[in-house]
Amino acid sequence: MSGPSTYEPKSGFTRWLDKRLPIIRLGYDSFVAYPTPRNLNYWWTFGAMLSMCLVVQIVTGVVLAMHYVPHIDMAFASVQRLERDVPYGWLIQNIHAVGASMFFLAVYIHMFRGLYYGSYKAPRELLWILGCVIYVLMVATGFLGYTLPWGQMSFWGATVITNLLGALPIVGESIKNWLSGGFSIDQPTINRFFSLHYLLPFVIAGVVALHVWALHEAGQGNPTGVDVRKASDIPAGEPGDTVPFTPHATMKDLFAAVLFVILFATFVFFMPDALGHADNFIPANPLQTPPEIVPEWYLLPFYAILRAIDFNIGPIDSKLGGVLAMFAAIGVLFVLPWLDTSRIRSMRYRPIARQFFLIFVVVCVILGWCGGQNPGKILVPATFSATLEWVEGGTVTQSPVRAEGEAQWAQAAADAQASQSGAAMTAVTRTSATEGTLRAINGGAVQTRTVTGGTVDELEAAVTEAKAAVGQAAPFFNVTRNTPFTFTVTTLSQIATFYYFFFFLVLLPLLGLRETPGRVPDTIAKPVTKQAQGAA
Amino acid sequence: MLRALTLAAALTVASVGAAFAAGDAEHPHDHAFSFDSPVGSYDMGAVQRGYQVYQQVCSTCHAMDHLAYRHLGERNGPFALYMVRNHETGEVEPHVGAPAHGGSFVDVTENQYVRAIAAGVTINAVDPNTGQLTDRPGRISDRFRRPFPNEIAARASNGGAYPVDLSVITSARHGGADYIYALLTGYTGQSRGTLYENPYFPGHYIAMPPPLTEGAVAYSDGSPTTVEQYAADVTHFLQWAADPHMEQRKRTGIVVLAFLLVLAGLMYLSYKHVWRNESH
């Protein structure tokens, strides 16, 4: 792609160096002469920003590590000391914490760009997979880093995530204990999480190098998805399809990066804690579970997928199912190059796929929203109702009920009730595993009342209220509860999760075969020149 | 396309704030504090009075482990001491709190006010000569005195409830300063056993009895000695305690943003200049 090197050492020293270690040549070929398509839009500027984010995180992180104490009793205080007493410690800490969010914001835009413009298609499959590897490493690093301040959310987040891995069959328990360094989240956990949190960014840097290498081999894609022509294929008098990386792409990336830094700085200086959770300012307390355990915003979509599976699938229980779905949600990205069967790279020329892609983006946002909500929250108003039945007047008789064993209890209770066929109402109260009391009312008038509520709690309150209103007039009540279908956050998560997988596993393979694409230009120059003429 | 995705990204960020809903507690009202706006600063008079309220009321039960007395006299502290030249007499006079202009900062080790505050506290420490535990007057390097030696003692003295550390309390609660103010002024006067009704507390019943009563703390600057004033002042102090570098952070932020905006303009012009002859 890059073609033969055009670097010419100018001075004696660079000629000497070029024969021994052609490092200037490497830099020149990669970041100066490197041909970049002239029609890239601003969605292509996030790669440079991501490199910047990685450098910022590593530099601030190294400084933070000089002050941080990985100890369950001192970690929280060491972060406080850093923020209060270390000169500009507050700034470094804010940049690192906000930086994690910015890193993920940029990487999500970068990934959606890749999805939309088909950047994962041949010959860039490995480039895409390396990107997926980087993303997985980022998720791990972000999670580990969030644990380190040892606040409530740190501790309970770590507990939830390690417990998840414990759901895996056979090896789960071992992996969980190996990760946490014991049977619970404790001192060994914080030590190894700190060690790994320091290690992984350098692994990311290594994979980034491979990512950039693969990029420079295949060359950048572009919004049309059409391959750029070799310089020799371009008719005389026409400008080439590419421009040198420096200064053209460099300047554009720098401009976009400054805009990104403005957003970054707004958070750092004016709302440093807006993206975090208040509970992480409470020191970790293993004896007190917070009312809600939520990950950082960038992991919420996967958290929603995890919780969406609240049902057993055959031998797979809901917990394992959730874990598998969550891993599959990331795993599916790795095989995406072979799921999408369309030969057209850019969705610009795929009118139907493009609509489904936009829905996909919205679905991801919905999943993120669901991840931050209480899963039981009812979204569409529903009516829970219960019917109370009681007898006014009449005489109450009591008799004991005995079953031969615990397993026979249900049958014994039913038999006892059936024996009182003349009674207006019967009830069995269980007092132990095999014993209970049968109460029956003979005579009197059967009364009923129906109460309703918007939630289970409201219904129970209404039932209690109704019982109190009837009071002594009824010896006891039979309550029949009618639970309607409720559309909760979980239901929404399930629909969104379904679409997430449907998009990758069904839509992309089928659409590639069935869809009639729009007209793809022969060269990237066509739309470029048309646009230029339109502007002129 | 670009607009649609930008909107989606904006929604993602916006949904984060709304994602964490509070429990069943009543939502605190917005109370106007001087530090609210992006350029707002602390009212150091309020922070000083708030420290007084903390010292005389809250500190009987609540620790603030992450603060030391010296923090009160550092540049961003409520008792920072400056020497200011009086323009009429020409004499250099001490001035507590940053003056409007001029003045030279006095290092906290030379700050008589903070030394007096620390010395007024009795600290339980190891005697350097005998090795026995003994009482001594506080020093500016001491952390705020802990009311109880440990959590067990704190619970034992408070009917089983643990008075939380207040160092970062405004950061550690949804609603921040507004929540603290609402809680301190929100008692209904009803109680159930040793629990006191307060609609702003999750569950509506809190183990802390109403801490503030009218006239309990004598102010020397003539500020009203009402529960509302105490609550506002101590909230102001707690906000400062949780975020002592806020003023410097916001000031730096304005300069940084101004610089970045100019830089963005220059970058844009350079970018246009580089691409002036290229169709794209």
Side-chain angles (χ1 to χ4, degrees):
Chain A
M1 177 72 209
S2 325
S5 175
T6 54
Y7 171 68
E8 278 175 35
K10 296 279 189 318
S11 70
F13 172 71
T14 47
R15 270 194 295 275
W16 181 87
L17 186 67
D18 198 48
K19 285 248 190 288
R20 287 153 183 82
L21 178 71
I23 190 166
I24 303 182
R25 178 181 298 275
L26 178 70
Y28 182 87
D29 292 345
S30 308
F31 303 109
V32 180
Y34 175 63
T36 179
R38 60 170 65 240
N39 61 339
L40 298 189
N41 56 29
Y42 279 103
W43 298 114
W44 259 265
T45 58
F46 284 86
M49 287 177 216
L50 285 162
S51 329
M52 181 194 74
C53 282
L54 181 62
V55 171
V56 166
Q57 289 304 89
I58 289 181
V59 170
T60 54
V62 166
V63 177
L64 291 179
M66 294 175 187
H67 300 279
Y68 173 74
V69 183
H71 188 285
I72 51 170
D73 294 329
M74 292 185 261
F76 190 88
S78 75
V79 176
Q80 282 298 315
R81 203 193 86 78
L82 167 91
E83 291 208 44
R84 289 167 193 275
D85 293 339
V86 174
Y88 290 96
W90 58 270
L91 179 59
I92 297 164
Q93 201 275 337
N94 284 350
I95 292 177
H96 197 74
V98 172
S101 284
M102 291 295 133
F103 206 157
F104 275 95
L105 176 65
V107 88
Y108 282 136
I109 296 175
H110 193 65
M111 289 164 78
F112 278 125
R113 190 270 286 153
L115 277 176
Y116 183 77
Y117 291 112
S119 306
Y120 47 85
K121 291 185 191 179
R124 299 188 183 82
E125 300 96 324
L126 276 183
L127 175 59
W128 171 262
I129 289 173
L130 286 167
C132 292
V133 171
I134 295 173
Y135 174 68
V136 170
L137 288 170
M138 278 177 63
V139 168
T141 312
F143 158 71
L144 293 170
Y146 194 56
T147 327
L148 296 184
W150 215 242
Q152 272 289 70
M153 216 41 89
S154 298
F155 180 90
W156 290 97
T159 305
V160 168
I161 299 296
T162 48
N163 276 340
L164 284 184
L165 297 169
L168 295 172
I170 306 167
V171 291
E173 194 65 21
S174 309
I175 292 182
K176 180 186 147 220
N177 293 344
W178 176 73
L179 260 184
S180 50
F183 300 109
S184 62
I185 302 296
D186 210 325
Q187 182 57 43
T189 322
I190 200 170
N191 274 127
R192 62 191 56 200
F193 277 22
F194 181 46
S195 170
L196 292 174
H197 183 68
Y198 205 115
L199 167 73
L200 288 188
F202 297 96
V203 179
I204 293 179
V207 186
V208 166
L210 295 180
H211 189 68
V212 174
W213 186 9
L215 169 73
H216 285 226
E217 201 52 38
Q220 280 162 296
N222 66 72
T224 64
V226 177
D227 285 330
V228 296
R229 289 170 295 175
K230 285 188 210 132
S232 55
D233 295 345
I234 291 168
E238 253 185 56
D241 285 349
T242 60
V243 287
F245 189 81
T246 300
H248 295 85
T250 322
M251 257 339 287
K252 191 172 182 176
D253 285 353
L254 274 174
F255 167 59
V258 172
L259 295 184
F260 183 71
V261 173
I262 288 177
L263 176 70
F264 198 141
T266 308
F267 274 105
V268 166
F269 290 103
F270 297 102
M271 33 187 173
D273 302 328
L275 297 166
H277 194 289
D279 277 10
N280 228 26
F281 281 96
I282 304 171
N285 181 354
L287 300 178
Q288 188 182 40
T289 317
E292 50 180 17
I293 303 176
V294 284
E296 293 253 84
W297 70 267
Y298 44 81
L299 298 179
L300 288 175
F302 297 107
Y303 197 52
I305 292 177
L306 169 82
R307 296 194 299 189
I309 313 297
D310 65 345
F311 46 86
N312 300 339
I313 310 161
I316 303 172
D317 69 355
S318 58
K319 188 178 173 191
L320 178 59
V323 175
L324 293 180
M326 185 174 74
F327 285 132
I330 298 180
V332 72
L333 297 173
F334 282 81
V335 290
L336 174 62
W338 297 278
L339 288 176
D340 186 353
T341 50
S342 173
R343 284 178 301 111
I344 314 291
R345 289 202 188 97
S346 173
M347 290 211 192
R348 259 190 198 176
Y349 310 109
R350 299 183 61 191
I352 301 173
R354 181 193 165 116
Q355 308 296 327
F356 285 114
F357 171 80
L358 288 177
I359 298 173
F360 176 77
V361 175
V362 173
V363 159
C364 290
V365 174
I366 290 175
L367 279 172
W369 181 82
C370 289
Q373 300 295 316
N374 180 348
K377 185 171 158 186
I378 296 172
L379 295 177
V380 178
T383 311
F384 290 82
S385 66
T387 308
L388 287 85
E389 196 188 6
W390 73 94
V391 179
E392 267 176 20
T395 48
V396 182
T397 55
Q398 285 199 15
S399 54
V401 180
R402 271 201 191 82
E404 300 201 342
E406 224 177 314
Q408 285 85 22
W409 169 257
Q411 186 58 45
D415 289 347
Q417 280 184 304
S419 69
Q420 300 284 337
S421 55
M425 201 169 128
T426 57
V428 175
T429 317
R430 194 171 183 179
T431 52
S432 74
T434 58
E435 289 173 20
T437 315
L438 171 74
R439 288 188 294 176
I441 308 178
N442 288 298
V446 178
Q447 311 277 327
T448 59
R449 182 184 293 179
T450 302
V451 293
T452 58
T455 63
V456 172
D457 287 353
E458 278 177 36
L459 179 67
E460 290 312 314
V463 168
T464 312
E465 201 178 302
K467 282 183 178 174
V470 175
Q472 296 298 322
F476 58 88
F477 295 88
N478 272 350
V479 183
T480 320
R481 289 175 176 79
N482 168 30
T483 308
F485 168 77
T486 48
F487 191 91
T488 59
V489 166
T490 303
T491 324
L492 183 60
S493 309
Q494 284 164 348
I495 295 171
T497 303
F498 173 78
Y499 184 84
Y500 183 97
F501 287 106
F502 184 71
F503 177 75
F504 286 118
L505 299 176
V506 179
L507 282 175
L508 286 181
L510 280 188
L511 277 176
L513 304 173
R514 311 290 303 172
E515 183 184 31
T516 315
R519 208 179 68 79
V520 182
D522 302 332
T523 69
I524 69 166
K526 284 264 170 70
V528 167
T529 28
K530 209 173 79 189
Q531 226 171 5
Q533 282 162 356
Chain B
M1 180 64 218
L2 190 133
R3 214 165 287 141
L5 278 193
T6 315
L7 185 70
L11 280 175
T12 316
V13 174
S15 67
V16 171
F20 309 111
D24 60 340
E26 202 166 306
H27 192 75
H29 304 288
D30 268 346
H31 183 81
F33 286 107
S34 62
F35 50 77
D36 282 341
S37 85
V39 291
S41 56
Y42 290 124
D43 170 358
M44 282 304 177
V47 179
Q48 287 174 6
R49 291 193 299 274
Y51 172 71
Q52 197 187 345
V53 175
Y54 167 75
Q55 181 57 29
Q56 292 179 20
V57 181
C58 318
S59 75
T60 41
C61 296
H62 290 278
M64 290 184 86
D65 271 353
H66 302 295
L67 276 97
Y69 293 105
R70 67 186 161 81
H71 286 138
L72 297 170
E74 285 174 358
R75 274 179 193 278
N76 49 32
F79 296 97
L81 185 62
Y82 288 81
M83 297 308 282
V84 183
R85 195 174 150 275
N86 186 316
H87 288 295
E88 286 169 18
T89 64
E91 285 182 31
V92 177
E93 298 166 348
H95 183 278
V96 176
H101 46 80
S104 60
F105 175 70
V106 179
D107 194 90
V108 63
T109 51
E110 309 293 326
N111 186 323
Q112 295 309 317
Y113 299 91
V114 177
R115 293 181 85 96
I117 287 171
V121 179
T122 306
I123 300 284
N124 194 252
V126 173
D127 185 317
N129 297 316
T130 65
Q132 303 299 311
L133 281 181
T134 180
D135 286 342
R136 63 162 171 79
R139 308 188 191 108
I140 59 168
S141 58
D142 283 322
R143 301 263 147 182
F144 278 18
R145 192 184 76 90
R146 283 182 176 183
F148 302 104
N150 52 54
E151 187 181 330
I152 302 170
R155 284 192 189 276
S157 303
N158 287 283
Y162 179 51
V164 293
D165 187 283
L166 297 181
S167 308
V168 286
I169 196 71
T170 56
S171 302
R173 293 293 180 274
H174 295 289
D178 288 334
Y179 166 76
I180 303 294
Y181 179 80
L183 187 81
L184 288 174
T185 54
Y187 284 90
T188 61
Q190 304 298 312
S191 62
R192 199 168 62 188
T194 56
L195 296 177
Y196 300 85
E197 193 184 27
N198 193 320
Y200 300 99
F201 189 72
H204 291 214
Y205 282 88
I206 184 169
M208 175 171 75
L212 302 171
T213 47
E214 188 156 342
V217 179
Y219 281 156
S220 58
D221 66 352
S223 297
T225 54
T226 59
V227 170
E228 287 74 20
Q229 182 71 28
Y230 291 149
D233 288 345
V234 80
T235 305
H236 219 111
F237 166 69
L238 292 173
Q239 178 75 29
W240 168 82
D243 194 5
H245 297 287
M246 182 204 72
E247 294 183 345
Q248 189 191 6
R249 170 163 64 75
K250 288 177 176 174
R251 274 200 310 271
T252 316
I254 303 262
V255 178
V256 167
L257 282 188
F259 168 80
L260 285 174
L261 286 172
V262 173
L263 184 66
L266 290 174
M267 287 290 170
Y268 182 72
L269 294 176
S270 313
Y271 157 61
K272 280 292 168 197
H273 180 78
V274 165
W275 284 82
R276 70 196 179 283
N277 292 326
E278 304 285 355
S279 61
H280 64 99

